[in-house]
């Protein structure tokens, strides 16, 4: 395990990762850590405290991700991740079957970013006071569930060229766009709330999508907007 001040088994998180074997579990004690971590093995990395705000990972270099994941089947949970103000809090880079759960993000450019990453789970994360919350590029079949994005300057949830993703029970408030899909067909958006944004849910070039039982209230311009998104189904949504 890793403990603040170097009194644990390892002095920092990267040292623990470098020493670990595939499938190992790394436990991190509560404290303040300044690192840019490369995860290149299938590992579970968790804090020992249930409150993510007690175990803080600040990007040492704000132009590099706090966590850069390049291996499949990685689990990261229980951290506060901040300070990557020129890049990503957690970056899933060409990976699959990874789980990012129960983390708190603030002060990042994009808090969670996926590129060419498929079949991952992003669940129960809080994404606040950053430029963007969750950002997908060319990433398919991911489950994005129970996340809360608040007070992000641009997008709460952004998908580009990312088909067949499921967004379920998310909340996006006080940003420019709550949920934005571009050229991302076949996605399912259900049970989500977009409140007090400029746009609530905005789809362009994203046909054959399903929007079901969403609430889009008090958004300045549009609650729900679809452009060039033929064949999409809207069912049981509320917008005002």
């Amino acid at each position: 395990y890793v403990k603040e001040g170097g009194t644990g088994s390892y002095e920092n998180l990267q040292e623990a990762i470098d020493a670990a074997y595939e499938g190992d579990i790394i436990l991190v004690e509560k404290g303040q850590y300044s690192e840019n971590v490369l995860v290149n093995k299938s590992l579970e990395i968790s804090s020992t405290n249930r409150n993510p705000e007690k175990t803080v990972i600040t990007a040492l270099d704000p132009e590099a991700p706090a966590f850069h994941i390049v291996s499949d089947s990685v689990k990261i949970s229980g951290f506060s991740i901040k300070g990557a103000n020129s890049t990503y809090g957690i970056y899933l880079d060409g990976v699959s079957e990874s789980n990012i759960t129960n983390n708190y993000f603030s002060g990042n450019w994009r808090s969670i970013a996926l590129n060419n990453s498929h079949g991952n789970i992003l669940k129960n994360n809080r994404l606040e006071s950053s430029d963007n919350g969750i950002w997908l590029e060319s990433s398919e079949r991911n489950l994005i569930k129970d996340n809360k994005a608040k007070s992000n300057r641009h997008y709460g949830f952004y998908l580009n060229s990312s088909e067949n993703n499921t967004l379920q029970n998310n909340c996006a408030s006080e940003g420019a766009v709550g949920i934005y899909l571009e050229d991302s067909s076949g996605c399912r958006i259900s049970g989500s709330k977009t409140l007090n944004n400029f746009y609530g849910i905005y789809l362009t070039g994203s046909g054959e999508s399903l929007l079901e039982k969403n609430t889009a209230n008090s958004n300045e311009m549009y609650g729900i907007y679809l452009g060039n998104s033929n064949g999409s189904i809207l069912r049981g949504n509320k917008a005002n």
Side-chain angles (χ1 to χ4, degrees), residues 55-186:
T55 311
V56 181
I57 310 292
T58 302
L60 183 62
D61 178 359
E63 296 186 356
F67 283 92
H68 186 181
I69 300 172
V70 296
S71 177
D72 296 340
S73 303
V74 170
K75 296 181 180 180
I76 295 179
S77 65
F79 295 99
S80 177
I81 299 166
K82 63 182 185 177
N85 53 34
S86 296
T87 183
Y88 318 117
I90 293 181
Y91 181 31
L92 277 66
D93 187 2
V95 304
S96 62
E97 298 181 5
S98 291
N99 289 17
I100 309 299
T101 58
N102 192 35
N103 300 288
Y104 173 65
F105 296 82
S106 64
N108 304 294
W109 181 45
R110 297 172 181 168
S111 287
I112 304 175
L114 280 66
N115 182 54
N116 193 32
S117 293
H118 315 297
N120 302 286
I121 296 174
L122 314 177
K123 184 177 179 181
N124 196 33
N125 298 286
R126 285 190 296 140
L127 316 125
E128 296 184 2
S129 303
S130 298
D131 278 44
N132 304 282
I134 291 176
W135 187 283
L136 275 64
E137 296 267 3
S138 303
S139 298
E140 300 181 359
R141 303 182 310 281
N142 299 286
L143 174 61
I144 304 168
K145 183 178 180 181
D146 298 332
N147 302 284
K148 295 181 179 179
K150 182 179 179 181
S151 300
N152 297 290
R153 293 181 191 89
H154 302 303
Y155 300 96
F157 301 85
Y158 175 100
L159 285 70
N160 182 38
S161 300
S162 296
E163 298 183 346
N164 300 311
N165 292 286
T166 298
L167 290 81
Q168 184 178 355
N169 298 337
N170 299 292
C171 182
S173 62
E174 301 175 22
V177 185
I179 299 173
Y180 179 88
L181 276 63
E182 181 175 355
D183 299 330
S184 298
S185 297

Side-chain angles (χ1 to χ4, degrees), residues 30-61:
K30 67 180 181 179
Q32 305 276 338
Y33 303 87
S34 294
E35 294 192 59
N36 300 96
V37 179
L38 176 65
V39 185
N40 55 4
K41 302 169 185 174
S42 298
L43 300 170
E44 179 177 340
I45 304 171
S46 302
S47 70
T48 59
N49 195 290
R50 291 187 177 183
N51 182 356
E53 295 184 56
K54 297 293 186 181
T55 311
V56 181
I57 310 292
T58 302
L60 183 62
D61 178 359

